[in-house]
Amino acid sequence: MTVPVVLVHGIRTSATMWRAQVDYLRQRGNPVTAVDLPAHGARMAETFTLDEAFATIDRAVRAAAEEGPVLLAGHSMGGLLCIEYAGQVDAPPIAGFIAASCTAIPRGAALATYRVLARRFDALPDRGMALTQYVLSRTLPDETRADFGAGGYAFDAQDAALASLSVLDLLAALRRIRVPLWFINGQWDQLRVNERLFRRIRPDAELIVVPRTTHLVTAMRPQVFNALLNLAITTVEQG
């Protein structure tokens, strides 16, 4: 059985954040599609809308489903979008789902605070790039350090994308997901804030917390994340 994989990136970054996973999956023999969401990566000139973000994910999933049962994986904002997508009333054609670094409800004071901090960061003379590069140099291994920014940073789309997330009904979506589900978080991930709530709603899901790891779990611990991809793929292969 061939299990194709669709990967959905987080805010500001692009499909390039998945380079380590794309290389691994190709070597493993699994077809893989890493999408660029609207206003990100190769689509930077576009406007971010939820409708087009969901359409982008759906096109990739339905194309992949022609090759076999699909494993969907999303990180951060991409994970939040994928929860909403996977939990539609009319279930999409996926056979497994990894929600990475996204066990948080993007609403209320928490979202407002995040947006304020993002605006202040963006207002720095270099839009915060010096600090970004410093943090990446201190946290990511050499082989993945360039991947987050290789497709460019979607500074101009960030606030609109964050604001749009407040309409997602993630808890209802989580209850409707009927495929094997994994929550993967770094130990020091700020988006673990609602992790217990997510687990309470989906006690059947597997929660995996990667020790000594930040929000950027895919790049900070690429071999660990690839091993978890292998776990999910093997689960789907076994039906």
Side-chain angles (χ1 to χ4, degrees):
M1 179 187 296
T2 298
V3 176
V5 181
V6 174
L7 304 171
V8 185
H9 64 79
I11 200 162
R12 289 210 314 167
T13 183
S14 69
T16 64
M17 66 157 279
W18 296 106
R19 281 176 172 174
Q21 286 69 49
V22 168
D23 288 346
Y24 167 75
L25 291 167
R26 286 174 176 166
Q27 292 173 19
R28 194 184 185 281
N30 295 89
V32 56
T33 302
V35 303
D36 273 334
L37 292 170
H40 292 72
R43 305 174 64 185
M44 199 84 72
E46 299 180 24
T47 299
F48 183 89
T49 66
L50 280 180
D51 285 346
E52 181 52 31
F54 289 129
T56 297
I57 297 168
D58 189 59
R59 286 193 296 267
V61 165
R62 293 187 184 280
E66 296 179 4
E67 301 184 74
V70 177
L71 174 66
L72 177 64
H75 177 264
S76 192
M77 179 184 76
L80 297 173
L81 294 172
C82 286
I83 290 173
E84 187 84 359
Y85 173 78
Q88 295 177 85
V89 174
D90 295 324
I94 61 172
F97 174 37
I98 293 175
S101 304
C102 61
T103 50
I105 306 298
R107 286 184 181 172
L111 178 60
T113 300
Y114 194 95
R115 289 178 67 192
V116 168
L117 293 173
R119 288 193 203 107
R120 290 180 178 176
F121 195 75
D122 194 42
L124 294 172
D126 62 349
R127 307 194 84 170
M129 282 307 302
L131 182 57
T132 296
Q133 295 303 328
Y134 174 76
V135 171
L136 294 181
S137 72
R138 303 289 291 183
T139 57
L140 300 187
D142 291 343
E143 62 267 29
T144 61
R145 191 172 301 156
D147 295 347
F148 263 77
Y153 288 103
F155 297 111
D156 296 333
Q158 183 170 243
D159 192 60
L162 286 171
S164 71
L165 299 179
S166 65
V167 305
L168 302 182
D169 191 352
L170 299 182
L171 302 185
L174 280 171
R175 292 185 177 98
R176 289 192 293 262
I177 295 173
R178 292 293 179 264
V179 297
L181 172 62
W182 293 264
F183 298 126
I184 300 176
N185 290 327
Q187 179 183 358
W188 301 321
D189 189 347
Q190 67 272 24
L191 295 193
R192 293 183 67 189
V193 61
N194 296 124
E195 187 179 84
R196 290 183 180 180
L197 175 59
F198 278 48
R199 288 286 288 122
R200 192 158 62 244
I201 289 174
R202 292 303 305 262
D204 59 307
E206 187 165 1
L207 170 65
I208 300 168
V209 178
V210 182
R212 302 180 304 280
T213 306
T214 67
H215 182 65
L216 306 183
V217 60
T218 62
M220 192 171 181
R221 299 282 186 265
Q223 293 181 340
V224 172
F225 197 87
N226 290 347
L228 297 175
L229 278 174
N230 181 67
L231 168 66
I233 292 168
T234 301
T235 302
V236 172
E237 287 173 342
Q238 293 176 347

